[in-house]
Amino acid sequence: MADRGHALMETDADRCVEAYYTAFRAADIEQMMRLWAERPDIVCIHPGSPRAHRGVAEVMESWLLVFARELNIGIEPKIVGRHESGEVLSLVIEEAITRPGDVAPTGTILISQTWRRVDSRWRLLFHHASHGRRSPPSQGGMFVPDGGGNTRH
């Protein structure tokens, strides 16, 4: 996951991201939930989700719904921001998304995650994923390559 041109050793951030995507790609709920802290204040938000999922039961239910969908998309994650301070690790990840039939990425998902070291292991506290830019669906479409500079929140 790290830029191997600058670092030969895998960082904690790289290991966290690798574990997350291993669980995600396998659609393995047990593996995914082992990454999360067992606390009532954990929060998970998925792209297009109508609300934040709080606590272990809601977070698990949200991942079960994600895994129930067909996950036949290509995902190439890239850490674009990271900050580690003692027992807390914050990450910003940009996923390049390739949909079935496409030969190159056509969209992005933007993710922020907060991890905390608990009993010498990194555990997820917060995960927020939202849609990023997409390539145009048509000439007159509202999405343009590379985001176009106009973002609505």
Side-chain angles (χ1 to χ4, degrees), residues 35-101:
L35 300 175
W36 285 86
E38 294 184 27
R39 300 169 50 119
D41 57 349
I42 61 174
V43 178
C44 183
I45 302 172
H46 299 288
S49 180
R51 65 184 184 86
H53 305 280
R54 295 180 173 93
V56 175
E58 282 190 22
V59 167
M60 184 170 73
E61 182 179 312
S62 76
W63 281 108
L64 286 170
L65 291 171
V66 168
F67 293 160
R69 296 189 306 242
E70 190 173 347
L71 296 175
N72 61 346
I73 56 174
I75 300 173
E76 280 301 317
K78 178 181 177 185
I79 298 173
V80 296
R82 71 177 85 203
H83 176 77
E84 185 174 344
S85 178
E87 302 298 308
V88 177
L89 172 64
S90 298
L91 300 174
V92 178
I93 303 164
E94 184 175 293
E95 295 178 345
I97 305 297
T98 305
R99 291 171 179 82

Side-chain angles (χ1 to χ4, degrees), residues 82-124:
R82 71 177 85 203
H83 176 77
E84 185 174 344
S85 178
E87 302 298 308
V88 177
L89 172 64
S90 298
L91 300 174
V92 178
I93 303 164
E94 184 175 293
E95 295 178 345
I97 305 297
T98 305
R99 291 171 179 82
D102 292 336
V103 294
T106 55
T108 57
I109 300 291
L110 304 173
I111 297 172
S112 59
Q113 293 181 337
T114 301
W115 298 74
R116 182 173 183 163
R117 194 183 309 267
V118 178
D119 298 328
S120 75
R121 293 187 60 206
W122 288 105
R123 301 295 183 135
L124 261 172

Side-chain angles (χ1 to χ4, degrees), residues 21-42:
Y21 284 100
T22 297
F24 183 81
R25 288 182 176 118
D28 185 329
I29 191 64
E30 291 177 10
Q31 192 174 3
M32 178 61 74
M33 292 312 296
R34 279 195 295 271
L35 300 175
W36 285 86
E38 294 184 27
R39 300 169 50 119
D41 57 349
I42 61 174

